[in-house]
Amino acid sequence: MKKKLIKIILALILFAFSMVIKFENVWINNILFVISYIIVGFEIIIKALRNIFRGKVFDENFLMTIATIGAFGIGEFPEAVAVMLFYQIGELFQDYAIDKSRKSISDLMDIKPDYANIEKNGNIQKVSPDSVKIGDTIIVKPGERVPLDGVVIEGTSNLDTKALTGESLPRNVKKDDEILSGSINLNSILKIKVTKEYNESTVSRILDLVENASSKKSKSENFITKFAHYYTPIVVFIALILAVIPPIIIKETTFSQWIYRALSFLVVSCPCALVISIPLSFFGGIGGASKIGILIKGSNYIEQLAKTEIIVFDKTGTLTEGVFDVQKIEAIGINKEELLKIIAYAENYSNHPISQSVKRAYNKKIDEKQIKKYEELAGRGIIATIGEHEVVVGNEELMKERKIKFEKTNLIGTILYVAIENKYVGYILISDKTKSDAQDTIKKLKKNNIKQIVMLTGDKKNVGESVAKELGLDKVYTELLPDGKVAKVESLLKEKSQEGKLAFVGDGINDAPVLAISDIGIAMGGLGADSAIEAADIVLMTDEPSKIVNAIDLSKKTMRIVKQNIVFAISIKIIILILSALGLSTMWWAVFADVGVSILAIINALRVLNVKQAR
Ligand code: ADP
Ligand code: MG
């Protein structure tokens, strides 16, 4: 950018000098113009030539080159220089704008850790994060960035997770807490057991997402490519006709007059403003979202989000905390501690929020050697062999399926029934809270013209319905297995209008397939399973449903700006094109129209970066 700026200044000085001081020999002025032209235009001419050899003949570089060389041809030296000069100034502006929106994304890039302090036999060594293995112990000192995901084994501290979540409040961590790479340790030394290799860790996954975000193009962006494809040859053709036909037909005019008109026609025709500002607006949208902890994997999702009609939520971990408290233990023929222990052992390998909660309630060391067999049945429960006995832990469905005689309870909450060797031994009742921002989110979404808000859950009817009522949802479907959720989403997809979109929001535990089939899959990034973050199109780093409201607002704003820019750029273009074909506009006007429109469109696009967190 600096090099470009120096070139522009140099050329500008020469140009101004030659404009102001008129030498006796006009060729001295002309030579100064040519030098100034070469300084700013050389690069464009080379690009145009290179693209011709690559088969991309009709691009903006080509337009600029023939228009300016033609201007020299008809003796309009200052105009030729001005076209290039102002075009480059426009480019400079564009670079600056891209730089600025990249910055908020590169703030994210900053999360990349440079090293990890690994502890081996009491010694601490600095190594590259990708050489650290699962199970290694690393030390994170105050002020350092956490390089890999892991679990705290020693120390308590506060973490700054702003780069990951946009959340400015520090997060307190202590022994046994999970910790995500990319956050910064604020207070005191933490000893961490690594649970994921670098490539699988949060930082590198986020970086991958961001790097690939611009490759998924929106319809509006594809529109530009198609537009330019037809538009440029047509414009060149019209210019040719303009230069040749009128002077032959109309007696009193000269070729040079019409060539001048044709050339200024070419200069204005360059669709720079469109080409620049539309991808830039989307880029800004993605950057602005990442500032507040929303990762959008492509500009097409911004476009789709703006058209959302139906939002489908998963319950556990999405609208509710996914942190269950044990409310009641009912043991039959064994004691309560024993029952809780059996459940905790059976749940040991599960990633389901239920499992985490049970293990926390049990709060004793689990001897993994005792767990001989383990099978998780998605949306139903677990069958495991603990010691010598087969244990079944799960919901009513699972008990019925295994033909276990059990006593059904109607308590409100999630119930885990337990059987040992197919003999029913009791249940535990656990319950979950709705997230603090959930109710408000639903209200705002309704205000935002979302037509239907639906919840799907694998949980019992009474639990699902009480949550739905509390939050004011339009519809709720309960007791669904993962394939049942897929079927429901498929039928909901048929209910939306042709243009409308359906978004599914989940944490990915038992709902990765639904995330994938929805128009827009939104996953909770903090709690969420890896598979969900892979399958999702948008990831909410803070696990707050309210971020969906922010994301929809942002996408609507982006689309508004994109539309404004398209309409504005095309209408100004058409007006000036007509004027220059009629000879009512000079090449000067053409230059200013083009640069001016580009700059205004860029400034408009930059507005997207200005996002505020709705709270
Ligand atoms: P949701 O749709 O609300 O996210 P899931 O589909 O994940 O719920 O689970 C549905 C039901 O299946 C749970 O309410 C529970 O009864 C049972 N279940 C799922 N996973 C487990 C597990 N690991 N242990 C016990 N029960 C489970
Ligand atoms: Mg779930």
Side-chain angles (χ1 to χ4, degrees):
M1 226 161 111
K2 236 188 202 146
K3 230 168 99 190
K4 201 175 240 171
L5 187 66
I6 293 172
K7 271 194 206 166
I8 290 174
I9 293 175
L10 219 74
L12 205 58
I13 292 172
L14 280 175
F15 176 72
F17 183 73
S18 179
M19 286 296 280
V20 177
I21 298 166
K22 294 284 169 224
F23 289 96
E24 208 129 300
N25 182 348
V26 77
W27 277 103
I28 298 180
N29 284 88
N30 287 353
I31 285 170
L32 285 175
F33 282 131
V34 172
I35 296 173
S36 153
Y37 175 82
I38 291 172
I39 294 174
V40 276
F42 187 68
E43 185 196 326
I44 309 277
I45 298 172
I46 294 292
K47 264 194 215 158
L49 285 175
R50 208 169 27 205
N51 284 346
I52 289 177
F53 285 117
R54 286 198 189 131
K56 284 198 331 196
V57 182
F58 294 114
D59 67 351
E60 75 264 27
N61 298 307
F62 176 76
L63 285 181
M64 302 307 295
T65 307
I66 54 168
T68 49
I69 291 180
F72 279 125
I74 54 173
E76 306 283 0
F77 282 66
E79 279 88 338
V81 183
V83 168
M84 277 297 178
L85 194 56
F86 289 110
Y87 177 74
Q88 290 282 33
I89 292 176
E91 289 265 293
L92 189 75
F93 238 88
Q94 174 201 350
D95 287 352
Y96 167 78
I98 289 185
D99 218 56
K100 190 149 181 215
S101 58
R102 240 189 215 140
K103 197 181 156 340
S104 62
I105 292 174
S106 75
D107 281 349
L108 261 180
M109 296 293 180
D110 265 355
I111 62 180
K112 198 182 184 120
D114 304 321
Y115 60 87
N117 304 315
I118 189 166
E119 192 191 56
K120 264 196 184 135
N121 331 318
N123 291 328
I124 294 176
Q125 262 176 5
K126 254 189 196 175
V127 297
S128 139
D130 48 17
S131 68
V132 180
K133 299 201 174 51
I134 295 178
D136 284 349
T137 304
I138 55 168
I139 307 278
V140 184
K141 295 178 205 148
E144 284 184 341
R145 204 171 276 286
V146 179
L148 299 110
D149 293 359
V151 175
V152 177
I153 49 178
E154 220 181 281
T156 55
S157 187
N158 287 311
L159 294 183
D160 174 356
T161 60
K162 193 153 182 295
L164 295 177
T165 61
E167 190 64 64
S168 45
L169 277 183
R171 202 187 82 150
N172 185 267
V173 287
K174 49 184 190 311
K175 187 168 182 294
D176 292 334
D177 281 348
E178 271 185 47
I179 128 172
L180 297 182
S181 51
S183 43
I184 298 173
N185 184 6
L186 294 175
N187 313 88
S188 53
I189 289 201
L190 287 173
K191 214 181 228 189
I192 293 162
K193 191 171 132 202
V194 173
T195 53
K196 279 185 194 150
E197 289 191 3
Y198 181 68
N199 288 338
E200 297 295 312
S201 277
T202 308
V203 196
S204 68
R205 285 210 321 254
I206 291 180
L207 292 177
D208 278 355
L209 284 186
V210 174
E211 272 159 21
N212 294 324
S214 42
S215 61
K216 281 191 184 154
K217 287 207 169 144
S218 63
K219 259 198 217 148
S220 318
E221 280 171 287
N222 292 330
F223 159 78
I224 310 240
T225 322
K226 268 207 204 114
F227 176 81
H229 189 77
Y230 293 106
Y231 171 82
T232 323
I234 291 175
V235 166
V236 172
F237 183 68
I238 294 178
L240 265 178
I241 292 181
L242 216 52
V244 180
I245 310 281
I248 295 177
I249 299 175
I250 307 167
K251 282 239 164 61
E252 307 84 71
T253 55
T254 60
F255 268 99
S256 82
Q257 191 182 355
W258 283 94
I259 288 175
Y260 182 93
R261 281 186 199 178
L263 290 172
S264 57
F265 182 85
L266 278 180
V267 176
V268 240
S269 69
C270 175
C272 311
L274 276 185
V275 173
I276 292 166
S277 75
I278 286 161
L280 187 72
S281 312
F282 284 111
F283 204 63
I286 293 174
S290 72
K291 271 211 279 197
I292 54 169
I294 304 169
L295 299 179
I296 301 177
K297 292 199 199 166
S299 30
N300 50 336
Y301 302 119
I302 294 190
E303 202 161 37
Q304 299 193 10
L305 207 52
K307 296 183 193 152
T308 310
E309 280 179 1
I310 303 178
I311 300 189
V312 183
F313 286 96
D314 178 46
K315 181 181 75 82
T316 314
T318 305
L319 287 174
T320 68
E321 300 275 358
V323 180
F324 296 82
D325 293 322
V326 176
Q327 305 283 338
K328 189 176 172 198
I329 303 181
E330 179 79 22
I332 300 168
I334 56 172
N335 68 37
K336 288 184 178 179
E337 259 90 294
E338 192 62 18
L339 185 72
L340 187 60
K341 177 176 170 184
I342 286 169
I343 302 174
Y345 271 70
E347 295 280 355
N348 185 52
Y349 295 116
S350 166
N351 279 324
H352 200 281
I354 289 180
S355 132
Q356 311 295 328
S357 308
V358 171
K359 275 191 281 181
R360 211 188 34 229
Y362 175 62
N363 201 22
K364 285 195 196 104
K365 204 168 157 41
I366 288 175
D367 174 13
E368 292 187 346
K369 278 197 241 60
Q370 300 260 354
I371 310 168
K372 305 266 161 66
K373 245 168 92 183
Y374 165 81
E375 188 189 358
E376 181 157 2
L377 305 162
R380 282 169 294 172
I382 281 163
I383 301 179
T385 306
I386 318 281
E388 303 306 314
H389 302 291
E390 189 195 63
V391 175
V392 180
V393 178
N395 56 15
E396 260 177 70
E397 282 310 304
L398 186 58
M399 293 293 134
K400 284 183 195 152
E401 222 177 274
R402 304 276 308 195
K403 305 210 166 53
I404 295 165
K405 275 207 205 92
F406 69 107
E407 284 162 49
K408 195 176 155 191
T409 61
N410 285 318
L411 298 167
I412 298 215
T414 303
I415 292 164
L416 305 187
Y417 295 97
V418 188
I420 301 176
E421 295 292 354
N422 279 346
K423 187 173 168 296
Y424 178 61
V425 293
Y427 66 83
I428 64 170
L429 168 72
I430 57 181
S431 78
D432 191 4
K433 286 197 300 279
T434 56
K435 287 187 183 169
S436 59
D437 61 338
Q439 198 173 8
D440 198 41
T441 302
I442 307 298
K443 241 189 244 152
K444 284 192 179 135
L445 288 175
K446 281 188 177 163
K447 242 191 245 156
N448 248 322
N449 294 328
I450 303 295
K451 297 207 179 105
Q452 257 194 77
I453 304 175
V454 184
M455 184 176 84
L456 304 183
T457 177
D459 214 342
K460 283 188 314 179
K461 192 163 186 255
N462 63 9
V463 180
E465 284 179 350
S466 83
V467 171
K469 207 171 143 212
E470 183 190 335
L471 299 180
L473 298 165
D474 297 323
K475 275 189 195 160
V476 53
Y477 299 98
T478 57
E479 300 179 23
L480 295 170
L481 294 179
D483 54 340
K485 292 186 182 175
V486 171
K488 272 284 169 280
V489 168
E490 275 170 348
S491 81
L492 286 166
L493 278 167
K494 293 193 191 107
E495 286 181 29
K496 64 189 174 92
S497 72
Q498 204 155 25
E499 274 290 286
K501 300 290 171 201
L502 178 146
F504 179 84
V505 195
D507 64 348
I509 312 261
N510 300 341
D511 53 28
V514 210
L515 278 172
I517 64 157
S518 315
D519 294 322
I520 316 158
I522 305 178
M524 299 285 157
L527 268 179
D530 297 358
S531 57
I533 296 177
E534 295 295 313
D537 307 315
I538 297 176
V539 180
L540 308 176
M541 290 308 295
T542 54
D543 291 351
E544 294 164 303
S546 56
K547 284 284 156 71
I548 297 166
V549 180
N550 296 142
I552 291 180
D553 283 349
L554 187 84
S555 66
K556 286 192 174 157
K557 185 171 168 193
T558 309
M559 293 315 294
R560 241 184 349 255
I561 290 176
V562 166
K563 280 180 197 143
Q564 283 165 2
N565 279 349
I566 292 181
V567 172
F568 174 62
I570 292 184
S571 21
I572 297 283
K573 198 109 286 192
I574 290 173
I575 294 171
I576 302 275
L577 277 177
I578 294 173
L579 290 181
S580 55
L582 296 177
L584 296 173
S585 141
T586 64
M587 201 177 270
W588 291 108
W589 268 103
V591 172
F592 285 118
D594 193 55
V595 177
V597 171
S598 302
I599 290 176
L600 286 177
I602 289 168
I603 292 172
N604 198 18
L606 278 179
R607 288 199 300 138
V608 202
L609 266 180
N610 252 330
V611 279
K612 278 184 206 83
Q613 209 145 218
R615 270 280 157 85

